[in-house]
Amino acid sequence: MAVAAETRLSSARKKGASRAGPPVSSSARPPSGRHPDRRQLNISARLAYAGCGATAGPLVAPRRPRAAVEFRHVASPAARLILTLLVLVNSAAGLLFIGWLLLPEHVPGSGVIGLGDWRTMAARLGFCVVVGVELIRLAQNVVVWVFAFHAKDPVPVDPPVGLRVALLTTIVPSKEPLDVVERTLRRLRQLVYCGRVDVWILDEGDDPAVKEMAARLGVHHFSRKGRPEYNQPSGEFRARTKSGNHNAWRAEHEQEYDVVANVDPDHVPLPHFLERTLGYFRDPDVAFVVTPQVYGNMHQNFVAHGASVQQYLYNGLIARGGNGLDAPLLTGTGHLYRPAAWRTIGGYQDSIIEDHLTSIRVHAAVNPETGNQWKGVYTPDVVAIGEGPTSWADYFNQQKRWAAGIWEIVVRPELRAPRALRSRRRWQYRLLQFYYPSVAVSLLLGNVATAMYLLTGVSTAQLDVTVWSMLWGSTICTWFVLWLWLRRFNIAPHEREEIGIVGMALALCAGPVYLAAGVGALLRRKLGFVVTAKGKLRTSESLGTFRLHLCWAAVAAGLLGASFVLGHDFTLLRVWPVLALLTGLGPPLIAFVSGLRARREQRDDAAEPAAGSDDEARHPPRSRVAVEGVRS
């Protein structure tokens, strides 16, 4: 039955494609040619993602009842060899650069016996910082190689018949508009499966409008508002947290279901959502199935585009590497779980990144039925299309929460992986958790090294600028070649065509946020759970949004000014504060320009003649017809 449904869906897509005409070009422009029509570009991206619903391959019949999930390598042996060679070349370039730095004539105070004076000690400290930054960059490349080399996809199988399935989404009425949530609920209601399927809305506000919407759509409504037992200051039912909201529902309704599916309210499921995921639960040891997080509004503005690009490498390689390393990471935006597995760990964990900590706890727990440790599955099939943050404030809040959660796990021993977690899985999580701290530490060390020279004139090393430029440039060039080559593993065609500069620039702008999150975690400051605002309720930017970045830019400008006043004119060491200055001033400037552009486009749209609307009603654009059914 599932295979037949897949065939019908594929046929429908082909018919839809033929009716809709050719895909919308990524360079599509309105007739006026004034600016790209971002709505058309977003439609094109959504159609591309909708066509990635069978990335893992066709559905197959299970070899036997309760058969274990099978996996196959994403990259061929030849591709894994090329990957290894590219990483080795980049590592060799980096080690050559570090080796050149460590030559005796480059080490400050190499002829001084003992610690030397304060200048010598400061120079040596700065020198160690420079070498440390390069070593961190090399380690980041090794992490990427580990996940890429082990990347695997599960072999998708037909879903079993007769499961009791709950489909859940949540709403915080002050942050998530009703129309966004209603769209998701309607799509959840349209999912077809040969078994019991109930749709639930978990309402943190117990809002009358949400209740009316639920009744109108025929979905179940749940709220923990006004129930003290489900609104505790900490623990399983912590108030004002996503984990507490879900655990409250679990306490009352989870036992009625065999599988529970969770999607964020802005992640619209596609028709094959259940068909491409439920089959993995034939394996009795599968605790959860997690799906890609893709954004269908990537062309909304610079922030949305960059946030979408930042998901490419994770969805295409890092998450698939989790399959090969036997511990794919649970992500809260879209996943399905087995209630029996959640009961062994007490449900979603109390953390600012509840999905990450829950994933660790589940992988360390044992399935009492089989005696085996629970396992997860990441499928690269796109089964839902979401919306990324569109304002700097929402993006910074999202990144700060993710980074703070990782730092919290690093600095709090009680949150670290339990001893029951197998070594392979433990190292997989350690590698995943390396990113945010490594970026923060690199930024801090780089600033310390440059500030030391620009303020005191104490140079970390006496280097030949030409040789330094050649060696450092070789590390960057070989890294960029590796990055370009890795694009072939991105999920969607448009992801494989894009270099990803916007995502890199946005990640650079998030650097101060990662550092602030690390400092806050080390000082044991509690960070409250903040829902990423969506749709019309997106958080607006103000100068306060960029206070951290403006301070960052002020420090960089002060260092540069001091270097000119004091005559400390080693050009290479001025590069870092210039980058820091751009990192600090870039976000507010981009926000200002984007605001001007958005207002101009609104005026242009308002100036369109009314006749144009009548023509469109009589002859709807092909892109609008094509996107019917995947609108998000």
Side-chain angles (χ1 to χ4, degrees):
M1 180 175 293
V3 174
E6 177 71 13
T7 303
R8 290 195 299 271
L9 179 60
S10 176
S11 176
R13 283 180 185 154
K14 290 178 181 178
K15 291 178 181 178
S18 64
R19 290 194 301 266
V24 181
S25 168
S26 61
S27 60
R29 291 178 179 272
S32 63
R34 288 191 298 265
H35 53 75
D37 188 334
R38 293 201 295 268
R39 287 168 296 188
Q40 293 275 349
L41 297 179
N42 282 336
I43 288 171
S44 179
R46 291 168 190 160
L47 286 171
Y49 281 130
C52 298
T55 303
L59 291 171
V60 300
R63 294 189 177 184
R64 62 183 184 279
R66 297 165 63 88
V69 177
E70 298 180 14
F71 294 90
R72 53 193 170 208
H73 277 286
V74 172
S76 65
R80 279 179 279 157
L81 176 61
I82 295 173
L83 166 69
T84 303
L85 290 175
L86 289 174
V87 172
L88 286 175
V89 169
N90 180 249
S91 298
L95 291 173
L96 180 63
F97 180 45
I98 293 173
W100 178 75
L101 288 175
L102 293 174
L103 290 175
E105 59 269 27
H106 296 155
V107 177
S110 56
V112 177
I113 300 176
L115 297 177
D117 59 11
W118 74 270
R119 288 180 171 272
T120 302
M121 289 189 289
R124 286 175 174 173
L125 177 61
F127 182 78
C128 291
V129 166
V130 171
V131 174
V133 170
E134 285 301 311
L135 289 174
I136 289 174
R137 191 192 61 78
L138 284 179
Q140 289 173 336
N141 272 3
V142 172
V143 170
V144 171
W145 174 83
V146 169
F147 283 99
F149 190 86
H150 293 90
K152 291 182 179 181
D153 284 343
V155 177
V157 294
D158 290 334
V161 173
L163 293 177
R164 300 169 299 169
V165 181
L167 304 176
L168 274 57
T169 191
T170 60
I171 184 171
V172 178
S174 61
K175 291 286 187 178
E176 292 156 331
L178 280 179
D179 61 328
V180 171
V181 181
E182 180 171 344
R183 182 186 58 200
T184 298
L185 289 173
R186 286 185 179 277
R187 295 303 182 194
L188 288 171
R189 286 278 293 152
Q190 293 169 6
L191 296 182
V192 177
Y193 168 67
C194 294
R196 173 186 169 187
V197 178
D198 293 336
V199 179
W200 287 83
I201 176 72
L202 278 54
D203 176 12
E204 280 280 45
D206 199 20
D207 190 284
V210 176
K211 288 181 179 179
E212 185 278 328
M213 175 184 65
R216 174 165 42 86
L217 298 178
V219 306
H220 299 275
H221 178 272
F222 174 84
S223 180
R224 60 171 174 162
K225 185 177 180 180
R227 304 184 64 178
E229 69 273 24
Y230 293 144
N231 287 274
Q232 300 294 315
S234 62
E236 183 179 358
F237 303 115
R238 184 179 173 188
R240 303 175 62 85
T241 64
K242 186 176 181 179
S243 60
N245 192 12
H246 278 285
N247 284 334
W249 177 88
R250 288 184 55 254
E252 297 201 354
H253 300 287
E254 184 188 71
Q255 66 276 5
E256 304 171 20
Y257 300 100
D258 301 305
V259 175
V260 176
N262 288 326
V263 294
D264 275 1
D266 61 330
H267 276 61
V268 181
L270 297 175
H272 52 274
F273 181 89
L274 294 176
E275 187 175 41
R276 299 294 301 188
T277 54
L278 286 179
Y280 301 116
F281 288 99
R282 290 181 180 272
D283 183 342
D285 292 323
V286 168
F288 65 84
V289 175
V290 63
T291 64
Q293 180 178 349
V294 300
Y295 298 145
N297 64 333
M298 62 178 295
H299 295 289
Q300 185 85 10
N301 54 28
F302 178 86
V303 174
H305 193 176
S308 181
V309 171
Q310 288 175 0
Q311 297 297 321
Y312 294 174
L313 182 65
Y314 180 81
N315 291 331
L317 278 180
I318 304 299
R320 290 160 127 175
N323 283 333
L325 295 170
D326 194 31
L329 178 67
L330 177 74
T331 54
T333 51
H335 65 273
L336 303 89
Y337 73 86
R338 192 189 301 269
W342 259 228
R343 286 194 289 270
T344 61
I345 62 168
Y348 290 98
Q349 303 298 291
D350 180 13
S351 170
I352 195 70
I353 49 171
E354 78 294 330
D355 47 4
H356 190 106
L357 192 58
T358 301
S359 187
I360 295 175
R361 296 292 183 264
V362 168
H363 278 131
V366 173
N367 180 358
E369 180 186 349
T370 65
N372 302 322
Q373 284 192 326
W374 291 110
K375 58 186 176 183
V377 175
Y378 168 77
T379 172
D381 297 336
V382 176
V383 295
I385 301 175
E387 293 186 5
T390 56
S391 74
W392 287 97
D394 291 331
Y395 175 74
F396 289 153
N397 283 334
Q398 179 196 71
Q399 295 297 307
K400 187 175 183 179
R401 178 165 57 87
W402 292 353
I406 294 299
W407 274 106
E408 190 178 53
I409 292 174
V410 171
V411 302
R412 291 177 57 186
E414 70 273 18
L415 296 182
R416 295 175 193 166
R419 293 184 178 181
L421 190 67
R422 291 202 296 262
S423 177
R424 184 182 181 89
R425 292 179 170 182
R426 184 183 302 275
W427 275 103
Q428 191 269 162
Y429 281 108
R430 285 174 177 170
L431 294 177
L432 276 176
Q433 294 161 1
F434 179 70
Y435 174 72
Y436 292 117
S438 69
V439 173
V441 171
S442 295
L443 285 174
L444 179 62
L445 294 181
N447 284 342
V448 168
T450 53
M452 190 177 299
Y453 172 76
L454 296 177
L455 293 177
T456 67
V458 176
S459 178
T460 56
Q462 299 299 322
L463 305 175
D464 184 290
V465 175
T466 302
V467 178
W468 183 93
S469 301
M470 290 177 58
L471 292 176
W472 184 78
S474 66
T475 66
I476 297 301
C477 288
T478 53
W479 169 83
F480 196 67
V481 170
L482 171 64
W483 180 268
L484 291 177
W485 187 84
L486 288 174
R487 291 184 305 164
R488 68 191 61 224
F489 299 109
N490 292 346
I491 291 177
H494 66 276
E495 295 181 354
R496 297 190 284 272
E497 296 170 359
E498 188 168 358
I499 294 177
I501 298 298
V502 177
M504 298 177 195
L506 191 64
L508 184 64
C509 293
V513 176
Y514 300 156
L515 184 56
V519 172
L522 291 173
L523 296 176
R524 301 300 178 96
R525 292 176 180 169
K526 275 285 187 181
L527 183 65
F529 185 88
V530 178
V531 176
T532 302
K534 300 169 179 69
K536 299 175 183 177
L537 297 180
R538 55 162 273 180
T539 307
S540 300
E541 286 102 352
S542 64
L543 279 180
T545 302
F546 307 105
R547 59 186 181 278
L548 181 61
H549 289 73
L550 294 175
C551 290
W552 189 266
V555 171
L559 290 175
L560 283 172
S563 71
F564 284 102
V565 172
L566 300 174
H568 305 150
D569 56 355
F570 189 42
T571 305
L572 288 178
L573 290 178
R574 284 179 178 160
V575 173
W576 189 279
V578 168
L579 289 176
L581 186 62
L582 294 176
T583 299
L585 295 180
L589 289 176
I590 293 172
F592 177 73
V593 173
S594 297
L596 291 178
R597 179 183 176 185
R599 286 192 289 272
R600 185 180 70 246
E601 291 178 0
Q602 288 175 356
R603 289 195 300 269
D604 292 344
D605 291 341
E608 290 291 330
S613 299
D614 296 336
D615 291 342
E616 183 178 296
R618 289 192 297 268
H619 306 288
R622 289 185 300 181
S623 60
R624 193 178 70 185
V625 176
V627 81
E628 188 66 34
V630 297
R631 189 177 298 152
S632 61

Short mmCIF file of all heavy atoms in Angstrom, two decimals, residues 573-593:
data_model
loop_
_atom_site.label_atom_id
_atom_site.label_comp_id
_atom_site.label_asym_id
_atom_site.label_seq_id
_atom_site.Cartn_x
_atom_site.Cartn_y
_atom_site.Cartn_z
N LEU A 573 49.03 42.38 11.61
CA LEU A 573 48.27 42.32 12.85
C LEU A 573 47.13 43.32 12.89
O LEU A 573 46.35 43.35 13.84
CB LEU A 573 49.20 42.53 14.05
CG LEU A 573 50.16 41.37 14.31
CD1 LEU A 573 51.08 41.68 15.47
CD2 LEU A 573 49.40 40.09 14.57
N ARG A 574 47.03 44.17 11.85
CA ARG A 574 45.87 45.05 11.75
C ARG A 574 44.72 44.39 10.99
O ARG A 574 43.60 44.92 10.99
CB ARG A 574 46.27 46.35 11.05
CG ARG A 574 47.06 47.29 11.95
CD ARG A 574 47.44 48.55 11.22
NE ARG A 574 48.15 49.47 12.11
CZ ARG A 574 48.93 50.46 11.68
NH1 ARG A 574 49.08 50.65 10.37
NH2 ARG A 574 49.54 51.25 12.54
N VAL A 575 45.01 43.27 10.33
CA VAL A 575 43.96 42.60 9.56
C VAL A 575 42.84 42.12 10.49
O VAL A 575 41.66 42.27 10.19
CB VAL A 575 44.55 41.41 8.77
CG1 VAL A 575 43.44 40.59 8.11
CG2 VAL A 575 45.53 41.92 7.71
N TRP A 576 43.22 41.54 11.63
CA TRP A 576 42.21 40.98 12.54
C TRP A 576 41.25 42.05 13.07
O TRP A 576 40.02 41.87 13.01
CB TRP A 576 42.91 40.25 13.69
CG TRP A 576 41.96 39.47 14.55
CD1 TRP A 576 41.17 39.95 15.54
CD2 TRP A 576 41.69 38.07 14.48
NE1 TRP A 576 40.42 38.95 16.11
CE2 TRP A 576 40.72 37.78 15.48
CE3 TRP A 576 42.18 37.04 13.69
CZ2 TRP A 576 40.24 36.49 15.69
CZ3 TRP A 576 41.70 35.75 13.91
CH2 TRP A 576 40.74 35.50 14.90
N PRO A 577 41.73 43.18 13.60
CA PRO A 577 40.77 44.19 14.07
C PRO A 577 39.93 44.79 12.95
O PRO A 577 38.79 45.22 13.21
CB PRO A 577 41.64 45.25 14.75
CG PRO A 577 43.02 45.00 14.26
CD PRO A 577 43.12 43.56 13.94
N VAL A 578 40.46 44.82 11.73
CA VAL A 578 39.64 45.29 10.61
C VAL A 578 38.47 44.33 10.40
O VAL A 578 37.32 44.75 10.20
CB VAL A 578 40.49 45.41 9.33
CG1 VAL A 578 39.59 45.61 8.11
CG2 VAL A 578 41.45 46.58 9.45
N LEU A 579 38.75 43.01 10.43
CA LEU A 579 37.67 42.02 10.32
C LEU A 579 36.68 42.15 11.47
O LEU A 579 35.47 42.05 11.29
CB LEU A 579 38.26 40.61 10.28
CG LEU A 579 39.00 40.21 9.01
CD1 LEU A 579 39.61 38.82 9.16
CD2 LEU A 579 38.06 40.23 7.81
N ALA A 580 37.20 42.38 12.67
CA ALA A 580 36.33 42.56 13.83
C ALA A 580 35.45 43.80 13.67
O ALA A 580 34.27 43.80 14.04
CB ALA A 580 37.16 42.66 15.11
N LEU A 581 36.02 44.87 13.09
CA LEU A 581 35.25 46.09 12.86
C LEU A 581 34.12 45.83 11.87
O LEU A 581 32.98 46.26 12.08
CB LEU A 581 36.18 47.18 12.33
CG LEU A 581 35.58 48.59 12.17
CD1 LEU A 581 35.12 49.13 13.51
CD2 LEU A 581 36.60 49.52 11.52
N LEU A 582 34.42 45.09 10.79
CA LEU A 582 33.40 44.75 9.81
C LEU A 582 32.33 43.85 10.42
O LEU A 582 31.14 43.99 10.13
CB LEU A 582 34.04 44.07 8.60
CG LEU A 582 34.99 44.93 7.76
CD1 LEU A 582 35.63 44.09 6.66
CD2 LEU A 582 34.23 46.11 7.16
N THR A 583 32.76 42.92 11.28
CA THR A 583 31.81 42.02 11.94
C THR A 583 30.85 42.79 12.83
O THR A 583 29.66 42.46 12.92
CB THR A 583 32.57 40.98 12.79
OG1 THR A 583 33.41 40.20 11.93
CG2 THR A 583 31.62 40.08 13.54
N GLY A 584 31.35 43.83 13.49
CA GLY A 584 30.51 44.61 14.38
C GLY A 584 29.59 45.57 13.66
O GLY A 584 28.42 45.75 14.06
N LEU A 585 30.09 46.20 12.60
CA LEU A 585 29.28 47.21 11.89
C LEU A 585 28.41 46.60 10.80
O LEU A 585 27.42 47.21 10.38
CB LEU A 585 30.20 48.27 11.28
CG LEU A 585 30.99 49.13 12.27
CD1 LEU A 585 31.85 50.13 11.52
CD2 LEU A 585 30.05 49.86 13.23
N GLY A 586 28.79 45.39 10.31
CA GLY A 586 28.05 44.77 9.22
C GLY A 586 26.58 44.55 9.51
O GLY A 586 25.71 44.98 8.72
N PRO A 587 26.22 43.88 10.61
CA PRO A 587 24.79 43.62 10.87
C PRO A 587 23.90 44.85 10.91
O PRO A 587 22.87 44.88 10.23
CB PRO A 587 24.82 42.86 12.21
CG PRO A 587 26.15 42.18 12.22
CD PRO A 587 27.08 43.15 11.56
N PRO A 588 24.25 45.92 11.67
CA PRO A 588 23.35 47.08 11.66
C PRO A 588 23.27 47.76 10.29
O PRO A 588 22.20 48.25 9.91
CB PRO A 588 23.94 48.02 12.72
CG PRO A 588 25.34 47.55 12.94
CD PRO A 588 25.33 46.10 12.66
N LEU A 589 24.38 47.78 9.56
CA LEU A 589 24.35 48.40 8.23
C LEU A 589 23.48 47.59 7.27
O LEU A 589 22.70 48.14 6.49
CB LEU A 589 25.78 48.52 7.68
CG LEU A 589 26.66 49.57 8.36
CD1 LEU A 589 28.08 49.53 7.79
CD2 LEU A 589 26.07 50.97 8.20
N ILE A 590 23.63 46.25 7.31
CA ILE A 590 22.82 45.39 6.45
C ILE A 590 21.34 45.52 6.81
O ILE A 590 20.47 45.56 5.94
CB ILE A 590 23.28 43.93 6.55
CG1 ILE A 590 24.69 43.78 5.96
CG2 ILE A 590 22.32 42.99 5.83
CD1 ILE A 590 25.31 42.41 6.19
N ALA A 591 21.05 45.59 8.12
CA ALA A 591 19.66 45.76 8.56
C ALA A 591 19.07 47.07 8.04
O ALA A 591 17.91 47.12 7.60
CB ALA A 591 19.59 45.71 10.08
N PHE A 592 19.88 48.13 8.07
CA PHE A 592 19.41 49.43 7.59
C PHE A 592 19.11 49.38 6.10
O PHE A 592 18.05 49.82 5.64
CB PHE A 592 20.45 50.49 7.90
CG PHE A 592 20.11 51.86 7.38
CD1 PHE A 592 19.12 52.63 8.00
CD2 PHE A 592 20.76 52.39 6.27
CE1 PHE A 592 18.79 53.89 7.51
CE2 PHE A 592 20.44 53.65 5.78
CZ PHE A 592 19.45 54.40 6.41
N VAL A 593 20.05 48.82 5.31
CA VAL A 593 19.86 48.74 3.86
C VAL A 593 18.68 47.83 3.52
O VAL A 593 17.88 48.14 2.63
CB VAL A 593 21.16 48.24 3.19
CG1 VAL A 593 20.93 47.98 1.70
CG2 VAL A 593 22.28 49.25 3.38
#
